[in-house]
Structure formats: C-alpha cells, structure tokens
Amino acid sequence: MKRHLIFSLGLLMAGSALSAADNASGSEPTYPGNPCFPGQYADPEGIVFDETVYIYPTNSLPFEEQTSMDCFSSTDLKKWTKHENIIDTTEVKWAWGALWAPSIIKKDGKYYLFFSANNVHEGEVGGIGVAVSDKPEGPFKDLLGHPLINDIVNGAQPIDQFVFRHTDGCYYMYYGGWSRCNLVKLADDFKSIVPFPDGSLYKEVTPENYVEGPFLLQKDGKCYFMWSEGEWTKDNYRVAYAIADSPFGPFERIGTILQTDPAVATGAGHHSVIQSPKTGKYYIIYHRHPLGTTDGNNRVTCIDELRFDTDGKILPVKMTFTGPAL
C-alpha cells in the first residue's frame, strides 16, 4: 500500500471543533480555510508521520531565489507550524539553481527527501537529488553529493519526482518534465536505481497530454495515476488522471479532475493526496493562482476533498475558499 495511505489520522480531527459526538448531535462542521498557510508555496506533497500532517512544498519564488525549502506540520489541518529552511543549496553543493517539487518517504526510522534542482538540460549537472534526516522537519543532509538522476532519458527532464512503496515491498519513483514520464526502481538504500526484472533501468509510462507532476494513489486494488497538464504559469494548468491495474500502466487518460474556476482561482495543479482512515475521506493538496494575479510565481497551497463515484472514478474537484468540512 502506498505510504500516503498507510497512516492514522486518529488524532488529526481531534484538534477540530467537530468531534464524532458533536457530529452525531448535529453540530456544524468547521473548515480549515484556503490557502492552508500564508506565503507563496507550490507543488505540495502531503503525508502523515506519527499522526501529524506534513506538507512539503516548493518555495514559489523567482528561479534564482528558490534555493531553499520549508515544510509545514499540523495536527488538525487548521493550525500550521512552519519549519524553515529544511534544506538549501549550501547543503546541496552541486545545486547552483532552484530547488523544487519535494517528495518524501520514511524508511527504517529515517526520512528521505527527494528534490529537483538546477532545471537541468543535456550536458549540465542537475536533476533529481535525495537528502536524509532523522526528523521529518529536518534539517536534511545531501545523501549522495551528486544527483541521483542527471541524464535525459526517453526525453524526460529529470524533475518532479514522486516516490512510493508498492504492495510488492519495493520502492519506485515516477519523474519527468518536458511531457515525458519515466518509472524507475530504487535501490534499498535510495543511493541508486536498479534494474527491473527485464534488465531495463527506465520505463516510459507517459499518458496522453502529460506535462509534469506525476502522482500515484493506490486504492481498492487499482492504481490511480495523476499528472499535471498545461503550463504552470497559465490558467490552463490542470490535473488529469488514469486508472490501471499496476503502477506500470498502461495509463489511458480518463479526464480532468482539477482546473481553473473563474470564481475561485486559476491554474490549479501539481498535487498530492492523503486519506483519513477514520472518516474514509480523501483530501487533495494542490497549488493554485489567486484571482487577479499576473505573476506566475504567485502560487498558494490549498486542500479540498477528493471524491469518487460508485464506479470508482474520480469526481471533478470543487475548489473552495473554506477547505473541506472537518
């Protein structure tokens, strides 16, 4: 089971004014509010460690200023604690440019943060790095001293990585920009990639209209593969998805689930998903542009509910200013 779904949110709702007893007696729900926390943050990855929700976003700043990362934690989805500068380019010596699109996983008591750096092109140093910490809020130390993946393979720029543990017990990573997506298998120590059973190191899994931001949700024996389309600075940025029987695909595009709402926000995308085993509800964590902004870097992080129909397909997400009912 994918690690975002293997957690307990038993205490997550405890901080909310709405308890199970309150709900049964007809009390009104409370709402966390969108954006979740102040500041320009994008590409959020949400996960729960020890009944605390963590969000790891990109500091959405001009490229030359985007040289560090913060994270946020909450026990109730309403009050967030900011953990500043969990990693920066003084620690990642090979990163001369921006850091962005973090993905995190816990293994053997340590926390491994994967990140993109340098907006790498052919012949340059950059790509996907990995750092490690004893605590989810860092500080994180560069694990390798060089990129985990630097090369352009299958036309996919090595950015926007998403790491997960599959039901087979192995760890895998989707990644890719420039409208191409690859899947790789990670070594047990996360210091390299290792061959698939057929001997290949990279498998292209690019679905129709894919641009960047891959994400996998494993639910009811199915793999919900999601990605972002359009241009991240524009109103056409959006999230689409496919359903397959395995993380290897094939992924046939079903439709768009998150997009611009002219009454709420524009350019919504690059998301993650968490689930509460207590309520059975799923939440989508994503970024969007506030109405009226003309700066592509002006992106904020938000949470709304993710719902499914009786056939297991994802219903279009309704963006809100309130966030989901708690």
Side-chain angles (χ1 to χ4, degrees):
M1 179 68 88
K2 178 178 170 298
R3 88 265 188 220
H4 286 97
L5 305 184
I6 308 175
F7 57 76
S8 170
L9 287 181
L11 296 184
L12 176 60
M13 301 306 174
S16 169
L18 178 64
S19 68
D22 291 336
N23 192 35
S25 64
S27 297
E28 290 295 321
T30 59
Y31 300 87
N34 277 328
C36 309
F37 34 76
Q40 293 187 180
Y41 291 97
D43 314 327
E45 171 142 326
I47 191 170
V48 175
F49 296 126
D50 299 324
E51 299 177 332
T52 296
V53 181
Y54 287 84
I55 295 180
Y56 297 81
T58 296
N59 281 332
S60 189
L61 301 170
F63 184 84
E64 65 276 6
E65 300 174 23
Q66 197 172 283
T67 55
S68 67
M69 289 182 175
D70 305 325
C71 79
F72 296 82
S73 62
S74 176
T75 57
D76 61 8
L77 287 184
K78 295 192 298 181
K79 296 179 181 178
W80 293 89
T81 298
K82 181 179 181 179
H83 308 278
E84 293 189 78
N85 199 31
I86 63 172
I87 193 169
D88 61 29
T89 52
T90 64
E91 169 61 29
V92 186
K93 304 300 184 185
W94 53 270
W96 55 265
L99 303 176
W100 77 96
S103 180
I104 192 164
I105 196 164
K106 182 180 181 180
K107 184 177 185 293
D108 299 332
K110 292 186 178 295
Y111 301 86
Y112 294 86
L113 185 75
F114 294 76
F115 56 90
S116 306
N118 294 357
N119 194 26
V120 66
H121 293 74
E122 194 70 54
E124 299 175 346
V125 174
I128 297 170
V130 57
V132 64
S133 176
D134 293 326
K135 299 183 294 182
E137 68 273 19
F140 286 86
K141 300 296 182 182
D142 190 359
L143 183 65
L144 301 175
H146 57 80
L148 173 67
I149 297 180
N150 193 140
D151 296 334
I152 311 293
V153 178
N154 297 328
Q157 188 186 34
I159 65 168
D160 286 8
Q161 62 293 320
F162 175 72
V163 179
F164 64 99
R165 183 178 184 269
H166 187 38
T167 52
D168 64 4
C170 298
Y171 294 85
Y172 297 91
M173 181 172 70
Y174 293 110
Y175 77 88
W178 295 347
S179 299
R180 293 290 184 272
C181 185
N182 288 333
L183 175 65
V184 296
K185 184 177 181 180
L186 296 169
D188 195 56
D189 59 6
F190 299 146
K191 292 183 177 181
S192 63
I193 61 174
V194 296
F196 292 103
D198 64 3
S200 64
L201 284 174
Y202 300 85
K203 291 189 179 295
E204 184 175 358
V205 293
T206 309
E208 177 188 1
N209 289 353
Y210 174 92
V211 173
E212 60 192 16
F215 181 86
L216 184 74
L217 169 67
Q218 295 179 85
K219 177 180 181 292
D220 299 331
K222 297 291 184 180
C223 291
Y224 291 75
F225 185 63
M226 310 177 204
W227 63 91
S228 293
E229 302 176 344
E231 185 178 347
W232 67 270
T233 61
K234 305 297 184 182
D235 293 356
N236 67 353
Y237 204 55
R238 59 193 181 272
V239 173
Y241 82 110
I243 302 176
D245 292 327
S246 87
F248 299 95
F251 298 117
E252 299 294 331
R253 187 184 190 278
I254 294 175
T256 301
I257 59 171
L258 179 66
Q259 61 186 331
T260 288
D261 181 339
V264 181
T266 65
H270 204 129
H271 72 297
S272 57
V273 177
I274 60 174
Q275 184 202 16
S276 166
K278 178 181 178 182
T279 65
K281 291 183 177 180
Y282 290 81
Y283 300 103
I284 184 168
I285 305 171
Y286 62 97
H287 75 240
R288 67 196 195 195
H289 298 290
L291 292 176
T293 186
T294 58
D295 179 3
N297 287 309
N298 187 2
R299 298 176 289 175
V300 294
T301 292
C302 300
I303 300 178
D304 279 300
E305 189 171 349
L306 188 70
R307 297 181 175 91
F308 301 80
D309 68 16
T310 55
D311 294 324
K313 292 184 177 179
I314 301 176
L315 295 171
V317 175
K318 173 61 178 174
M319 289 195 292
T320 69
F321 293 113
T322 62
L326 301 179

